[in-house]
Amino acid sequence: MKMTAQLAAAAALTVTATLAQGQTTDVPFALDWKFEGPAAPYFAAIDNGHFADNGLSVEITAGTGSLDAIPKVATGAFPMGFADINSLIRFLDQNPGAPVTAVMMVYDKPPFAVIGRESLGISEPADLEGEVLGAPPPDGAWAQFPIFAAENDLDMDAITVEPVGFPTREPMLADGNVAAITGFSFSSYLNLVRLGVPEDDITTLLMADHGLELYGNAIIANTDFAEANPEAVSGFLEAVAMGWKDAIADPAAVMPSLIERNPAADSDLEQRRLELSIEANVVTDYTTANGMGTIDDDRMAAAIEQIKTVYDFEGTPDADLYFTDAYLPEGGFPLD
């Protein structure tokens, strides 16, 4: 759905009203998903005073998928959010001029994955042909599946895709109703473990290990808000980086911040989910050498070329529309 001129104007009015009321230190933040392990660093940034140290009061709202925060931020309902940058690229192509861009990369290596079961015949990408794949339509991993299929010479017509809901995705695989699903590696894997699927029966095909050059989820900002409040955005990103540094240094220490907001969560399982995201998606060779938050221009160009193989851009793709390092320190945030 295209973002209308009226919505864009509403976004600008929302930002202007916020500024006029002197409430720019209140920064609502839209997450991509539920309050699970990888959300702990953001709550730690609140509880450990990192947002407050930057003069910010932050309230975090859960999301319903990695595309969810984009329209929330674009319409001005939230000044900051967390979303899949590849979905943002398509959104901005379909909604040119929408006031939203990525300002800090978090998942340098995206968690997009196909998760199957050895006992159901899934051990490598080619095994998906002739099988049923469960995929939630709003899922960020499903959005990238055509690129994964193209990079691995899969015949999409030979794969039966069954639209499923997020709550039923892993149970359907656990019950053998589908042979594989799309999802975030750390989420779907541990959800299957929790459902009693033996770990040695789970196949995780991380798309980044099978040809994808794409980046993953990033902090996104409403550009009207960012241009009017550059210090607030820079301070927000610094606090996020500090929250992740706390989590990397001691994952167990940040779990109480998560459990306080989600008392029903299994602390041990969510800590493991956080650790998986740190090891596979956040602390990479690139972020170790170059700091957290930045991107490599050549890799982004390659990612856009991959997207072009499965998506017809309405306009001319321009990386500068999708990501800016203007609110990051030079060299990003060191993780040590």
Side-chain angles (χ1 to χ4, degrees):
M1 179 181 296
K2 290 186 178 293
M3 180 179 177
T4 65
Q6 290 87 348
L7 283 177
L13 287 173
T14 299
V15 172
T16 302
T18 300
L19 298 177
Q21 295 169 14
Q23 298 175 347
T24 57
T25 55
D26 292 331
V27 184
F29 179 45
L31 272 184
D32 62 328
W33 191 233
K34 298 178 290 187
F35 294 167
E36 295 183 340
Y42 306 108
F43 294 118
I46 294 175
D47 294 346
N48 295 346
H50 302 316
F51 285 121
D53 288 345
N54 283 281
L56 305 175
S57 175
V58 174
E59 181 176 349
I60 300 174
T61 300
T64 59
S66 55
L67 291 68
D68 183 54
I70 297 172
K72 291 178 179 177
V73 174
T75 58
F78 287 80
M80 307 293 292
F82 187 55
D84 167 37
I85 194 170
N86 308 289
S87 299
L88 175 66
I89 289 171
R90 299 184 192 202
F91 178 87
L92 285 170
D93 181 59
Q94 296 162 15
N95 300 276
V100 56
T101 193
V103 291
M104 176 182 179
M105 185 55 58
V106 176
Y107 292 156
D108 179 66
K109 187 174 184 179
F112 309 133
V114 175
I115 302 92
R117 294 180 60 183
E118 293 273 355
S119 61
L120 297 177
I122 305 298
S123 60
E124 58 184 37
D127 296 332
L128 295 169
E129 294 185 354
E131 300 293 347
V132 179
L133 175 72
D139 178 37
W142 165 243
Q144 316 317 325
F145 184 82
I147 300 175
F148 170 79
E151 289 294 323
N152 291 276
D153 297 322
L154 299 183
D155 181 0
M156 287 283 287
D157 291 336
I159 302 171
T160 301
V161 179
E162 182 170 340
V164 299
F166 285 116
T168 60
R169 172 176 53 185
E170 288 86 11
M172 288 185 71
L173 180 55
D175 292 340
N177 295 322
V178 296
I181 57 176
T182 63
F184 277 20
S185 53
F186 49 73
S187 289
S188 291
Y189 182 89
L190 289 180
N191 289 347
L192 288 169
V193 172
R194 185 172 54 188
L195 290 170
V197 177
E199 293 194 42
D200 61 4
D201 189 31
I202 302 173
T203 298
T204 301
L205 302 173
L206 197 64
M207 294 185 188
D209 292 335
H210 293 274
L212 261 71
E213 296 284 351
L214 306 183
Y215 281 98
N217 280 35
I219 303 296
I220 63 174
N222 179 284
T223 53
D224 292 334
F225 177 86
E227 289 168 7
N229 302 274
E231 292 184 0
V233 174
S234 294
F236 186 96
L237 301 186
E238 179 181 345
V240 166
M242 293 297 293
W244 273 102
K245 286 182 69 173
D246 292 344
I248 292 166
D250 190 350
V254 301
M255 292 315 297
S257 293
L258 176 74
I259 299 305
E260 179 181 342
R261 278 80 175 187
N262 184 7
D266 180 324
S267 182
D268 290 340
L269 183 140
E270 296 307 331
Q271 180 179 330
R272 189 174 177 201
R273 199 189 308 272
L274 171 62
E275 291 168 348
L276 288 174
S277 70
I278 290 171
E279 294 164 5
N281 311 117
V282 177
V283 179
T284 65
D285 291 343
Y286 179 85
T287 59
T288 299
N290 299 281
M292 180 184 188
T294 64
I295 64 171
D296 178 81
D297 291 340
D298 290 340
R299 179 179 165 194
M300 176 58 85
I304 292 172
E305 289 302 312
Q306 280 195 330
I307 294 172
K308 286 167 66 175
T309 65
V310 297
Y311 173 77
D312 293 327
F313 279 88
E314 297 180 16
T316 302
D318 182 355
D320 290 339
L321 295 174
Y322 318 134
F323 184 91
T324 178
D325 62 3
Y327 306 99
L328 294 169
E330 186 174 354
F333 297 103
L335 293 177
D336 53 11

